[in-house]
Amino acid sequence: MRVLVALGTRPEVIKLAPVIVALQRRAEVRVCASGQHREMLQQTLDALGLQPDIMLETMSPGRSLNVLAARLMEGLDGVLEQEQPDWVLVQGDTTTAFCAGLAAFQRQIRVGHVEAGLRTGDLASPFPEEANRSLLARIATLHFAPTQLAAAALRGEGIPEDSIRVTGNTVVDAIAQARSAWPSGVPAGLPAEIRQRLGAGPAVLVTCHRRENFGSVLEAFCHMLVRLCVQYPDIQWIFPVHLNPAVREPVHHLLARLPNLLLTEPVDYHCSLYLISRAILVLSDSGGIQEEAPSFGTPVVVMRQHTERIEGIMAGFATLAGQDPADIETAVYAWLNDADRRTALRALANPYGDGCASMRIASALYGEPCEAFHG
């Protein structure tokens, strides 16, 4: 069997890496990097020891999503014509995932959609990811739903039962693989400035990168962080700043001079996981972090109006705080002022997966039966 794996962003690399490893044991696997997020993509590929077989040049600063999609469709069509795969495997909700799925569908190539079925019910949030993931459901051959709730969403949209597999989320597989590469319990590439801050006291990890939080919303987040840093001077606030200028410019302008706030360059995957493991709390708009943090018993305040990852909230790992800084602050206070509540999370299992998702996906591509993940 010949499988083409298409990826273009950091989360796709992280979540497809263990699937690639599982498939390489029994199939011919070709990895196509779309170039959607070139710098952060390469950093993550290096951290996970992956090298793409095909690298496209599709992204340039300031281009619209439509221009990106047009370049992706043209580039991916040429790749499909050359590679002639039996399956195209895509992950999640990126423009790369949707375009690769559509290009494969239009060449009558089977499409496997990893992390299918996540929904907020609002096409504008997250944008354009909710639409990308929903549209992929119309054209995929096999839908690899990470949880029973995701599978139920697919059934509710009329997706045939025999095309749905509940696999668990591959991010849990990726975490297990990453932690096995820390022989001393600390990633080899952890920057000295982060190591120093973690040694200075309890830490809170902050991340922010989603389009819906740009502009005035992000500026309000920054003013909120100033207040939190002043109110909790004994806590180290660590903020790896996304490369997007829409994030970097306001963050560095508004947050550059706080003694207990560290603004860092984006960290690699191993260091990101280590920061989550050491943090007493995470403030984030990231979908991936919502799935990763439960493996470490770390709570998350989700800075979004909607989330397609409701399982963590239902299990008590996360608070969906919205975009209003007052509501986010209230959620932060609730977690930071209740150590017992935070400690209780350490005994709970990750509701998103059990570390066997990649094996289930590989089996499904070969038409083999496999026990579903139940959470």
Side-chain angles (χ1 to χ4, degrees):
M1 187 167 67
R2 190 175 177 88
V3 181
L4 180 76
V5 179
L7 45 80
T9 66
R10 171 186 168 119
E12 288 168 293
V13 175
I14 291 167
K15 293 182 175 182
L16 287 171
V19 183
I20 292 168
V21 171
L23 284 171
Q24 284 174 335
R25 300 188 184 111
R26 54 194 308 193
E28 181 181 357
V29 181
R30 299 280 284 172
V31 177
C32 176
S34 73
Q36 181 174 339
H37 288 170
R38 186 63 181 268
E39 290 181 55
M40 297 185 74
L41 178 79
Q42 191 60 54
Q43 181 194 59
T44 312
L45 287 166
D46 292 342
L48 297 179
L50 289 176
Q51 287 302 320
D53 301 290
I54 304 150
M55 179 71 81
L56 301 178
E57 298 287 346
T58 57
M59 193 63 171
S60 58
R63 297 290 185 177
S64 71
L65 287 171
N66 287 333
V67 171
L68 172 61
R71 289 181 173 180
L72 284 169
M73 289 296 293
E74 182 178 11
L76 289 163
D77 189 60
V79 170
L80 294 175
E81 183 175 13
Q82 176 182 324
E83 298 293 326
Q84 296 292 310
D86 299 299
W87 284 93
V88 168
L89 203 61
V90 300
Q91 187 277 328
D93 53 17
T94 68
T95 304
T96 291
F98 173 62
C99 289
L102 181 59
F105 173 78
Q106 292 183 158
R107 282 187 170 269
Q108 296 183 303
I109 299 168
R110 291 174 292 178
V111 177
H113 184 197
V114 177
E115 201 180 75
L118 277 64
R119 299 287 186 273
T120 67
D122 182 350
L123 284 176
S125 178
F127 178 88
E129 290 84 359
E130 176 80 358
N132 287 339
R133 202 189 299 263
S134 300
L135 290 166
L136 273 167
R138 310 269 67 81
I139 56 178
T141 311
L142 280 178
H143 308 260
F144 300 119
T147 65
Q148 295 291 340
L149 282 178
L154 291 168
R155 295 185 195 104
E157 295 173 358
I159 302 300
E161 182 69 36
D162 61 3
S163 71
I164 301 170
R165 304 289 186 275
V166 184
T167 62
N169 199 300
T170 59
V171 78
V172 182
D173 305 32
I175 290 170
Q177 290 183 10
R179 295 177 81 175
S180 69
W182 307 348
S184 66
V186 180
L190 186 69
E193 59 181 358
I194 292 178
R195 189 187 298 264
Q196 182 180 14
R197 293 291 182 127
L198 291 175
V204 172
L205 174 63
V206 182
T207 80
C208 187
H209 74 282
R210 304 203 69 84
R211 283 183 182 84
E212 59 264 34
N213 285 337
F214 289 177
S216 60
V217 177
L218 179 56
E219 291 179 7
F221 286 171
C222 290
H223 291 302
M224 173 200 70
L225 274 176
V226 172
R227 295 191 296 272
L228 288 170
C229 287
V230 171
Q231 184 156 357
Y232 293 94
D234 296 330
I235 291 177
Q236 298 296 316
W237 302 76
I238 301 175
F239 191 163
V241 185
H242 199 275
L243 293 175
N244 192 320
V247 177
R248 293 182 73 81
E249 291 173 7
V251 166
H252 281 281
H253 175 68
L254 296 169
L255 298 174
R257 296 180 179 85
L258 292 164
N260 60 330
L261 174 64
L262 175 65
L263 302 179
T264 76
E265 293 300 304
V267 296
D268 70 23
Y269 183 55
H270 293 277
C271 294
S272 175
L273 289 182
Y274 186 70
L275 278 170
I276 295 170
S277 74
R278 289 292 306 275
I280 60 172
L281 179 67
V282 179
L283 277 68
S284 182
D285 60 4
S286 164
I289 284 178
Q290 293 176 59
E291 298 159 343
E292 292 161 348
S295 287
F296 303 100
T298 304
V300 181
V301 171
V302 182
M303 301 188 298
R304 291 166 57 174
Q305 288 298 113
H306 308 95
T307 182
E308 60 277 75
R309 295 163 172 89
I310 199 69
E311 293 88 348
I313 293 166
M314 294 171 62
F317 284 100
T319 302
L320 182 61
Q323 294 172 299
D324 186 328
D327 294 334
I328 297 169
E329 284 183 80
T330 298
V332 170
Y333 299 151
W335 282 110
L336 292 183
N337 297 335
D338 193 341
D340 290 341
R341 182 185 177 197
R342 299 197 308 269
T343 301
L345 298 182
R346 306 274 175 176
L348 302 180
N350 190 328
Y352 294 107
D354 59 1
C356 298
S358 301
M359 174 272 293
R360 293 187 180 102
I361 291 168
S363 295
L365 291 178
Y366 275 93
E368 299 166 352
C370 192
E371 184 179 355
F373 170 69
H374 291 283

